[in-house]
């Protein structure tokens, strides 16, 4: 019994301590609505539902995004996701970069994006086969044929 008490005592103390370790997400870049990516409505809806939490300024922060150690995962995802590709400032990317992104987007929806651990909690972010097909078709339509 005593060991168990110690165990939980240390566990709680440990959890309390790690709350001081925070990952800071830099403020989202200022963007006007006109700089957001354009896409046909069904594609846009899917992107908003499945990608925007990490790849836009419109992150829906869940309550546990403030509780370590889950917060580390959530915040580093948003920080790195936005850094990599931010749909809210899409029109600032030059043509070459956009083409590269379109290609990566088409590839990523097969299995890489959204990340598996995110899907595990956000079941609604799962893309249907039809949505994946639509996203791929739309993304590749922006890539010159010899580069696909
Ligand atoms: C939970 C956060 C999260 C969500 C949701 C998410 N991403 Fe990502 N994404 C990341 C992170 C973090 C990276 C940075 C590189 C990495 O980890 O591979 C990334 C990288 C990328 C890249 C570039 C790198 C590569 O390897 O292709 C593309 C393209 C991408 N994401 C597309 C998407 C699309 C499309 C969706 C929605 C269907 C999506 N992501 C949803 C977090 C996310």
């Amino acid at each position: 019994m005593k060991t168990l008490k110690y165990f939980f005592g240390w566990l709680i103390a440990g959890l309390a301590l790690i709350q001081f370790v925070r990952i800071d997400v830099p403020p989202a870049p200022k963007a006007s609505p006109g700089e957001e990516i354009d896409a046909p409505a069904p594609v846009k809806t899917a992107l908003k539902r499945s990608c925007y939490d990490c790849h836009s300024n419109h992150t829906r922060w869940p309550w546990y995004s403030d509780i370590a150690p889950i917060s580390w995962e959530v915040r580093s995802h948003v920080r790195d996701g936005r850094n990599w590709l931010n749909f809210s400032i899409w029109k600032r990317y030059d043509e070459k970069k956009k083409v590269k992104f379109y290609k990566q987007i088409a590839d990523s929806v097969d299995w890489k994006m959204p990340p598996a651990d995110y899907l595990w909690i956000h079941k609604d972010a799962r893309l249907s086969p039809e949505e994946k097909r639509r996203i791929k078709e739309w993304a590749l339509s922006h890539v010159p044929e010899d580069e696909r």
Side-chain angles (χ1 to χ4, degrees):
M1 242 352 241
K2 215 164 179 183
T3 342
L4 208 62
K5 256 194 201 154
Y6 273 125
F7 174 75
F8 282 110
W10 281 109
L11 184 70
I12 288 166
L15 282 174
L17 263 180
I18 63 172
Q19 301 308 318
F20 291 101
V21 182
R22 293 184 57 92
I23 288 188
D24 284 321
V25 180
K30 284 215 165 27
S32 66
E35 290 178 294
E36 200 178 333
I37 194 163
D38 292 323
V43 171
K44 188 81 176 261
T45 308
L47 294 181
K48 279 192 169 161
R49 201 184 75 238
S50 300
C51 320
Y52 266 42
D53 270 348
C54 302
H55 292 293
S56 84
N57 289 354
H58 306 285
T59 306
R60 294 165 297 174
W61 291 104
W63 59 268
Y64 47 80
S65 67
D66 267 328
I67 298 172
I70 311 177
S71 58
W72 301 339
E73 185 75 2
V74 176
R75 288 172 174 276
S76 61
H77 264 154
V78 175
R79 183 194 58 198
D80 300 346
R82 269 191 200 153
N83 243 344
W84 201 288
L85 158 64
N86 185 339
F87 288 122
S88 298
I89 54 166
W90 179 261
K91 293 194 182 151
R92 280 185 218 171
Y93 299 135
D94 62 40
E95 219 34 52
K96 214 169 138 203
K97 200 157 184 188
K98 282 186 196 151
V99 169
K100 194 186 92 189
F101 280 148
Y102 278 127
K103 256 199 299 201
Q104 284 181 341
I105 291 168
D107 284 342
S108 70
V109 293
D110 269 336
W111 54 272
K112 201 167 170 218
M113 291 288 150
D117 55 354
Y118 173 81
L119 282 181
W120 189 60
I121 300 175
H122 299 85
K123 303 255 187 273
D124 64 313
R126 203 171 291 276
L127 294 168
S128 70
E130 176 63 16
E131 285 173 320
K132 286 185 187 176
R133 193 188 58 75
R134 280 212 164 111
I135 292 176
K136 280 198 221 181
E137 213 176 83
W138 157 79
L140 288 178
S141 74
H142 291 88
V143 181
E145 228 162 279
D146 56 331
E147 286 181 48
R148 279 177 202 167

